[in-house]
Amino acid sequence: MRPLLRRLLPSLCSAAARALLARRAVPMALRPAERAARVEGDAPSAAGAAPEHDGLENIQQKKIFKETKEKTQQSEEPCAVDSLMAEMPFVDTDIEDECAMHATTELSIKKKRKRTIGREIEEGIERKKKKNKQYQPNYFISLPITNPKITGSIQAVQDAIIQKDQRLSKAMVRSGSFHVTMLVMHLSSEEEISIAVGALSDSKVFVDDLLKGKRVDLSFQGIDHFRNQVGFVNLAENDHATLLKEIAETMKKKFQEKGIMAGEERAFKPHLTFMKLSKSTELRKQVKKIDSSLYEDFKNHYFGDEILHRFDLCSMLKKKQPNGYYYCESSIVFGKSHEADLVKEALRRETQALLPRLNQIKELLTSPEIRTKISKELFEDRHNCNSKWKSCIDSESPNA
């Protein structure tokens, strides 16, 4: 609208000026008509004296009257333009003031818009930070690693790495904390914790349906990393690993049905973390990346198997247990004969630990020198026993 007014204003102003000049010229144009009227009034008195002169004068008066009428009609057109100007809403507006005010207003709007955009950006950043903080995971579902062979092998790797770089001792995860993370979530109140405990309990039925009584052996082999920031032991890809992924997806759906913010956007990758730089802020300033050559010798190492038997709802922030494991809100155990399986597994592990010693004893017994020495010691012991027995009998005899 304003650009259109700017184009029209010059032409309207010039029309107004012409109308003003025409209005001033009207009285001057009317004077000959007044003289003509006076002449007409005086004409009867002078008609008899000079008829010829009156006829000529009448012709001149008519001519003057005609010219005056034409000028009057011309002057009425600018007056119409003038009255149109008077009806315009901007008739009393100073053009220079209006333009100046418009420029100032536009500048103010731009500044205000800039301030508003800046404030909106800041508020958006604050909201994003608040949201990230609000929904940052603080609980997780843990699959605990309890096999001594796995924990012992990982500790050997940790020791080997520390020998090469002492600084990384701060990055090592305690053996009591070894686990596989199945699911992460944010629980902001005791009520949500209670809901999560119920969801974990409900998940047991679905997990049992997936397992169908089968024992799941999870094989851990090889070492890998996440962006050289986290070192972990790989879970070997097999049917049991696939089944574990199905269990994780089932549990995720169950928790989400309960209204729990659970799971991550990225795909589930089961792994056993044993080292991460984020454990120490000071360390991250010193070490930007973990050199993969530090664990090169263990990249394809077989660490052992873990029998799937339990899932725990653990807190990331609450104080850990004395053995180093996380604070546990609730747990579910799998298998009808789970306890018997645990006992069998414990006996098997103890037997495997004793087998090397039994083999050493067998080797010693097969040696001739050892056998001779043992026989001699047995003969001497028997002879000594017989001598003591004989002397004892003699002392008790009545003839003695």
Side-chain angles (χ1 to χ4, degrees), residues 211-229:
L211 295 179
K212 295 178 181 178
K214 295 185 296 184
R215 195 177 88 167
V216 179
D217 293 325
L218 303 173
S219 298
F220 291 90
Q221 183 173 4
I223 294 178
D224 205 346
H225 64 86
F226 292 132
R227 300 185 301 276
N228 294 106
Q229 302 291 310

Side-chain angles (χ1 to χ4, degrees), residues 145-154 180 216-222 233-236 238 272 300-307 345 348-349 352:
I145 303 300
T146 58
N147 186 348
K149 182 179 180 181
I150 297 176
T151 57
S153 298
I154 293 176
V180 174
V216 179
D217 293 325
L218 303 173
S219 298
F220 291 90
Q221 183 173 4
V233 178
N234 276 317
L235 180 64
N238 52 33
L272 199 172
N300 298 314
H301 180 74
Y302 171 71
F303 290 87
D305 292 352
E306 179 71 30
I307 299 174
E345 181 63 20
R348 185 182 67 83
R349 291 171 182 172
Q352 287 180 345

Side-chain angles (χ1 to χ4, degrees), residues 133-292:
K133 186 177 180 181
Q134 184 178 359
Y135 294 105
Q136 186 175 2
N138 58 354
Y139 277 82
F140 65 101
I141 301 299
S142 167
L143 189 167
I145 303 300
T146 58
N147 186 348
K149 182 179 180 181
I150 297 176
T151 57
S153 298
I154 293 176
Q155 284 178 314
V157 175
Q158 291 175 327
D159 293 339
I161 293 173
I162 293 172
Q163 287 180 0
K164 297 177 182 179
D165 192 340
Q166 186 66 33
R167 299 174 300 174
L168 293 177
S169 60
K170 299 178 180 178
M172 299 303 171
V173 178
R174 288 181 59 183
S175 59
S177 300
F178 290 158
H179 70 281
V180 174
T181 300
M182 298 291 294
L183 188 67
V184 296
M185 67 196 74
H186 178 85
L187 305 176
S188 58
S189 64
E190 290 296 327
E191 182 182 357
E192 289 189 353
I193 293 173
S194 178
I195 295 173
V197 170
L200 178 62
S201 178
D202 293 344
S203 300
K204 185 180 186 307
V205 178
F206 294 93
V207 175
D208 283 335
D209 289 341
L210 287 173
L211 295 179
K212 295 178 181 178
K214 295 185 296 184
R215 195 177 88 167
V216 179
D217 293 325
L218 303 173
S219 298
F220 291 90
Q221 183 173 4
I223 294 178
D224 205 346
H225 64 86
F226 292 132
R227 300 185 301 276
N228 294 106
Q229 302 291 310
V230 177
F232 61 88
V233 178
N234 276 317
L235 180 64
E237 290 291 340
N238 52 33
D239 293 341
H240 290 182
T242 303
L243 183 58
L244 185 67
K245 293 178 181 179
E246 290 182 18
I247 292 172
E249 188 64 27
T250 300
M251 296 180 73
K252 177 181 176 181
K253 291 179 180 178
K254 194 64 183 176
F255 274 78
Q256 289 178 347
E257 288 175 1
K258 295 284 186 178
I260 301 295
M261 298 289 294
E264 297 178 288
E265 294 181 358
R266 60 187 178 185
F268 173 62
K269 179 179 174 61
H271 61 279
L272 199 172
T273 300
F274 67 89
M275 172 176 59
K276 52 184 177 181
L277 295 179
S278 60
K279 282 182 65 65
S280 172
T281 305
E282 181 182 351
L283 177 63
R284 296 193 72 172
K285 295 178 181 178
Q286 300 174 3
V287 181
K288 301 300 181 183
K289 291 184 178 181
I290 299 172
D291 187 358
S292 59

